[in-house]
Structures are given as C-alpha cells and as structure tokens.
Amino acid sequence: MSLIKKAVIAVALSTGLIACGLAQAHPKLLSSTPAEGADATAPAKIELHFSENLMTKFSGAKLLMTEMPGMAAHSPMPMPAKVSGSDDPKTMVITPNTPLTAGTYQVQWRAVSSDTHPITGNVTFKVK
Ligand SMILES: [Cu+2]
C-alpha cells in the first residue's frame, strides 16, 4: 500500500467516510456485449455485467446515438429502449425498441448496489 493511500484512509477514518467503499464494494463494469469499442452487427440487446448485484429500482441506462454514416459527431440522439434486470442480478439489459441502424452508440449507465451510492459510466460501440 502506498503512503498516499494510507494517508487517504487515515483521513477517511478521521472523518467517518470509511463506511463507503470498504464494507461494500461499488459496482464496477466488468464487461459488456457489445464490448467497449466493438464494431458489431446490430445487437438485439445490450448487456452490462457488473461486479456487484444491482438494485434495479435505482439503476438504469440511456442509449444514445452519437454518430451516423455521413454525419460524424452529431448531437447525441436518445434511442428508445427498455432497461431491465436479468436472471443474473449483476447484469443490466438494454433492449432497443427498434433495431439499431449503422452508427455509433453510447450507453450511459448508472449502477447502484447495496451501499446505495450511484456509480456512472459509459460504453461506446459501433453498429455496421
Ligand atoms: Cu459507496
């Protein structure tokens, strides 16, 4: 453990912030299908696999189209999609309402596990 890390923990202990992050881990995105940076055929659904069980009530995601052929980097266009849990409590499923056309997509996710702190991140992939 580095000196800096020790110092941070010491400060956290002294201010009572230690309750967060050590007792229960925050959800981390472990993998997704399509994967980050993938050049995929249009997926019927997008799956995000996290390190922790999700509280589906507080977790969610937005699907945005950020580029389309002949129109690089247009303003992000929200794509209608259903977000749900899965049989695997660590997986979030995003099902687009209509098949995704060629372009670049970004999933902006928000994951909440048992410690109730929202963690956010995103995954970008291309559809051919
Ligand atoms: Cu936390």
Side-chain angles (χ1 to χ4, degrees):
M1 188 183 291
S2 72
L3 277 178
I4 292 173
K5 232 176 183 173
K6 272 183 193 159
V8 168
I9 289 174
V11 169
L13 275 169
S14 66
T15 56
L17 292 175
I18 202 75
C20 175
L22 286 190
Q24 287 147 322
H26 290 166
K28 248 192 299 193
L29 183 67
L30 299 179
S31 65
S32 63
T33 50
E36 168 68 34
D39 212 343
T41 50
K45 59 183 181 169
I46 300 149
E47 289 190 345
L48 306 180
H49 304 285
F50 290 92
S51 59
E52 308 295 321
N53 290 355
L54 301 175
M55 296 177 75
T56 46
K57 221 170 122 185
F58 305 113
S59 302
K62 271 193 293 198
L63 178 61
L64 303 170
M65 187 196 216
T66 57
E67 285 180 342
M68 65 173 87
M71 220 176 142
H74 59 73
S75 50
M77 224 162 69
M79 306 303 290
K82 182 175 159 259
V83 182
S84 58
S86 154
D87 290 342
D88 172 6
K90 297 178 176 163
T91 296
M92 190 188 297
V93 181
I94 299 115
T95 310
N97 290 7
T98 54
L100 299 180
T101 55
T104 304
Y105 294 86
Q106 186 177 62
V107 178
Q108 295 181 343
W109 56 261
R110 171 193 162 94
V112 177
S113 65
S114 54
D115 88 345
T116 72
H117 299 134
I119 307 301
T120 58
N122 54 66
V123 173
T124 301
F125 63 90
K126 284 184 184 182
V127 169
K128 301 186 242 204

